[in-house]
Amino acid sequence: MTALKKAGLLRTYYRDRLRGYRLGTKAKSALLGGWPERFTFCLTGDAETNRLKSEANRRFRLHRLAETYITMGNAGVLLYPDEKPKVFAQTGFGGEAVTYPAFYSSREVKELGADATQIRSSRFAGVLLAPTGIFVTYNSGGALMKWRYKSELRVKTLLWNILCQQRLAQQYRVEQVHGLVLGDSMDLAYQILTSTGGAKHDYFMLDGSYDHFYFLTNDHQGEVILALLCDPVKTAELNRILSQGLTAGNPGRATEQDAAEPDGTPVLFGYFCDLPRIVRFNTSLELMERPGTLICFDFQADVLRRYCGDRVHLQTIDFTKFEGRLFP
C-alpha cells in the first residue's frame, strides 16, 4: 500500500472517522491502457462503481463486496469480464455454457437493463455460476444483514427466467438456484440458525426463500469448501469416503438424510453447512424423538453442536487432512 501511494496510484481520504483509498487518475489510466477489456466496465462512463461512495453504509457494502471477490478468487472462481461468458450482458452473449465456476457481481447482473430494475433493492452481492448450480451470493460480514423477503424473491425469480428458461436453459434447472451467504465466523451461522428476524422482522432469517442456503466463512477454510461446492467430482469422492460403513439413505423418509447407520440411525452430510437442511434434519429428529448423526468439518462442530443439542451425534472431518487429500 505504501509503494502504491508513493507511486501516485492510490490516494488516502477520511470521512466519518473512516479511512479509505481511491484510485488516482494515473492508476485508472494504467489499468485502462493495459487491460481495457477488463477494466473499462468499472472505470469509465456513468458506472455505479465509478462514483464516489463516502457514506459509511455504502463504504461498508463496498468492503463486503471486496471480501466476496477475494473469497471467490481464492477459491479459483473466474472474476474478470474477459474471462467468462457474457451471461448478463444485453448484447454479446453467444449461448456458451458455463464450464468453469464464474462470479458475476450484482452490477453485472443489472446490465440486463429494464429486466433488472425490479431487483435494485436486493442485498445480494452477485451470482456464482458453477457446474453444480446457481448460487445467489450474500455477504453478511460479522452480523445479521438487513433482509427483505420480497426483494430477494424477485432476484430468484429473475434468475429463473433469464438463466433457467432462456440463456442457460440447457444447463440449469429451476431447482438448481440456491442461496449462499458468507460471514466472518461460524458464530454468525448460529445467529442465522436461531434468528427470528428481529423485532421488526427485517433482519436475515431462514424464511424458506431458498431450499438450500449454504453458509461459508470469509477465510481459507471457506475458500476451500467453496472450491469443493463448485466441483461435483471431488464432492462425490468425499461422499464416497464418508459413506463407507453406512447404508444408503432413503430420501422418501420423513427425516432428511444422506445415509444411515447400520441400525437405521439417519446420517446427514452437513459439511457444506446447508442451513435449511440442518434445520429440517434437527427438527424432524426432535419431533420423532430419535437420535441422528451429523457429519461436518472440525471447525464447524462447536456451533452445530450448540444448535442441535445432545440428540445429534457429531462426527467431524479433519479439515487439514481433507485439504491435503483432495486439494493437495
Side-chain angles (χ1 to χ4, degrees):
M1 297 293 287
T2 301
L4 290 172
K5 287 192 290 183
K6 285 185 177 179
L9 300 174
L10 280 183
R11 294 185 293 112
T12 306
Y13 74 104
Y14 294 86
R15 184 164 178 175
D16 299 323
R17 299 181 180 179
L18 292 173
R19 182 176 61 183
Y21 297 97
R22 289 178 178 157
L23 291 177
T25 302
K26 183 178 178 181
K28 291 184 180 181
S29 298
L31 293 173
L32 291 171
W35 304 273
E37 71 287 349
R38 181 165 292 186
F39 295 109
T40 299
F41 165 77
C42 59
L43 294 179
T44 61
D46 191 28
E48 177 67 17
T49 49
N50 198 32
R51 296 175 184 165
L52 299 181
K53 293 179 173 64
S54 299
E55 301 89 342
N57 62 330
R58 302 187 76 185
R59 289 168 69 180
F60 281 128
R61 174 163 171 77
L62 281 179
H63 178 74
R64 289 191 293 271
L65 289 171
E67 278 187 327
T68 304
Y69 271 115
I70 292 172
T71 297
M72 292 288 172
N74 287 345
V77 176
L78 300 179
L79 299 173
Y80 297 112
D82 56 302
E83 296 179 323
K84 56 196 181 186
K86 300 182 184 300
V87 174
F88 295 101
Q90 288 186 309
T91 60
F93 178 60
E96 312 96 295
V98 178
T99 57
Y100 201 84
F103 179 72
Y104 297 82
S105 70
S106 57
R107 188 180 184 283
E108 289 177 282
V109 175
K110 291 170 184 176
E111 275 196 305
L112 288 167
D115 289 336
T117 56
Q118 57 187 309
I119 64 170
R120 293 193 181 278
S121 59
S122 170
R123 307 290 294 183
F124 82 119
V127 178
L128 169 63
L129 302 184
T132 50
I134 298 169
F135 301 90
V136 185
T137 304
Y138 302 84
N139 190 346
S140 193
L144 294 175
M145 61 184 165
K146 290 282 189 175
W147 186 257
R148 295 178 181 174
Y149 173 78
K150 291 183 178 179
S151 296
E152 307 311 330
L153 190 60
R154 285 195 290 269
V155 175
K156 184 179 179 180
T157 303
L158 176 70
L159 296 177
W160 279 351
N161 293 335
I162 298 299
L163 301 182
C164 302
Q165 298 177 5
Q166 299 178 36
R167 299 191 173 193
L168 296 174
Q170 300 301 316
Q171 183 173 0
Y172 295 117
R173 302 184 303 277
V174 167
E175 60 268 25
Q176 288 181 285
V177 179
H178 312 305
L180 171 65
V181 60
L182 306 176
D184 289 351
S185 71
M186 282 299 300
D187 286 335
L188 181 61
Y190 182 79
Q191 293 182 52
I192 295 173
L193 286 166
T194 57
S195 172
T196 57
K200 297 182 179 180
H201 300 286
D202 57 350
Y203 281 94
F204 185 48
M205 59 180 291
L206 298 175
D207 53 12
S209 50
Y210 293 95
D211 290 335
H212 301 277
F213 217 134
Y214 302 91
F215 178 86
L216 300 177
T217 47
N218 276 312
D219 54 20
H220 177 68
Q221 293 163 325
E223 293 160 3
V224 173
I225 299 176
L226 178 58
L228 179 67
L229 182 64
C230 295
D231 192 327
V233 175
K234 289 183 177 178
T235 298
E237 172 62 11
L238 178 58
N239 288 344
R240 184 193 65 80
I241 295 171
L242 297 178
S243 297
Q244 294 176 2
L246 302 175
T247 61
N250 185 349
R253 291 182 179 174
T255 303
E256 188 157 353
Q257 58 186 281
D258 296 302
E261 302 277 7
D263 63 359
T265 300
V267 178
L268 185 75
F269 297 163
Y271 55 82
F272 278 139
C273 216
D274 184 347
L275 301 179
R277 283 198 84 205
I278 292 171
V279 170
R280 293 193 293 267
F281 179 72
N282 187 55
T283 301
S284 64
L285 292 177
E286 288 182 346
L287 292 174
M288 300 174 67
E289 297 184 346
R290 63 178 302 185
T293 299
L294 177 63
I295 301 178
C296 64
F297 285 108
D298 47 10
F299 71 91
Q300 300 168 332
D302 287 345
V303 162
L304 295 181
R305 185 177 293 110
R306 197 188 336 160
Y307 172 71
C308 295
D310 297 334
R311 186 181 303 280
V312 177
H313 170 64
L314 264 63
Q315 290 184 6
T316 59
I317 307 166
D318 186 304
F319 178 81
T320 302
K321 291 181 179 179
F322 153 78
E323 184 180 12
R325 179 165 181 173
L326 292 185
F327 291 91

